[in-house]
Amino acid sequence: YPPRLVAGIYSKDELEWTIQRRTRRVLSEYKINKEIAGRPYQERAIKRVAETFQDAHRKALLVMATVTGKTRTAIAIVDMLIKQKWARRILFLADRTALVRQAKGNFVKLMPDLSCINIVEEKENIDVHKMVFSTYPTMMNKIDTERVNNIPVYSPGHFDVIIIDEAHRSVYQKYQAIFEYFDAMIIGLTATPKSDVDKNTYELFDLENHNPTDFYELDEAVKDGWLVPPKRIGVTTKFQRDGIKYNELSEEDKERYEEDFTDNLS
C-alpha cells in the first residue's frame, strides 16, 4: 500500500499477524458461497470489492436498494476475506442497537463457525471473538476508556476490516474518529448515499460523487424481478398529528435528532 498515517503502534500480536498476512491468497480466486449470496448483483458486488482491495485501495462503498441483501453480501465478503487470509478480526458498526442485534443474528445463521460478539450487550473476550458488532457510541467509549496496564484494549491495528451499516448516517462528525483511529480496510453499505458538502458519503470512502464501488438501485432491482414497484398509501402518522417532543425521546433518538437537525433545543 502507499504510505499512510496511523494513530499508534501495532501490538506485538498484530505485527506478527501483519507478517503472516503476506502469504494471503488472491481474492479473485475465491469461490463465492452462493448459499450466502447467490444473486448475480450480489456476486458482482463481491467481485468489485475484491478488485478494489486487490488494487491496494482500502475503502469500498456498496450502494444497494433496501431488501436486496446488503447484509448477505457483506457476510459473503467477510467469508472471502477470512478464507483468503486477508482478515482475522472484523468490526461491524451500526447506529442503533436493534440493527446491531439483527446483523449479528444474520452472521451467526449464515456463518455458524465464526465467533461473534455484540459488545453493546455482551462482554467480549478479544482473544476469542473475531467478529465484533457495536454501535458507534459503544466503540468510541471503548477506544477512549478501556485499558489494561495502561495499554488500550483496542489498538489501531486490532481490526483488519470495518463494515459500516447504513453508511449515510452518523459517520461524518464525532464518529468519524473511529475510522481515523483504526488502521483497517473499510466497507460501507447503504441504499441512500449523501453528497452534501458537510455530509458526503463518497468523500468518506475517497470516491467521486455518485461513483460508488458498486451500485444496485431500486429501478434496476424492479426491472430484474427481485423487487416489486412501491405503492403509495395515504396515512397520517403520530408525528404528523402530535409532533415531536424532545424530552419524550429516548437517549438514542435525542442523539440522532441533534446530529440531523440544527434547531435551538433550549
Side-chain angles (χ1 to χ4, degrees), residues 238-254:
K238 184 176 183 294
F239 161 68
Q240 290 174 312
R241 293 193 305 269
D242 303 335
I244 290 178
K245 295 180 177 61
Y246 180 79
N247 291 334
E248 295 178 1
L249 297 176
S250 67
E251 291 303 316
E252 192 173 26
D253 286 337
K254 285 179 181 178

Side-chain angles (χ1 to χ4, degrees), residues 176-213:
Q176 190 166 343
I178 296 173
F179 317 115
E180 295 170 352
Y181 177 77
F182 287 118
D183 185 39
M185 295 180 288
I186 301 177
I187 301 168
L189 311 172
T190 184
T192 54
K194 293 185 177 182
S195 56
D196 302 339
V197 172
D198 60 336
K199 293 184 178 181
N200 191 312
T201 311
Y202 301 99
E203 187 177 90
L204 178 65
F205 292 88
D206 301 328
L207 296 166
E208 297 178 359
N209 280 353
H210 312 297
N211 189 25
T213 305

Side-chain angles (χ1 to χ4, degrees), residues 41-58:
Y41 63 86
Q42 294 171 339
E43 294 183 34
R44 184 189 67 199
I46 296 163
K47 290 176 181 177
R48 292 273 174 84
V49 171
E51 292 168 1
T52 296
F53 288 162
Q54 198 75 59
D55 289 341
H57 297 289
R58 297 175 59 82

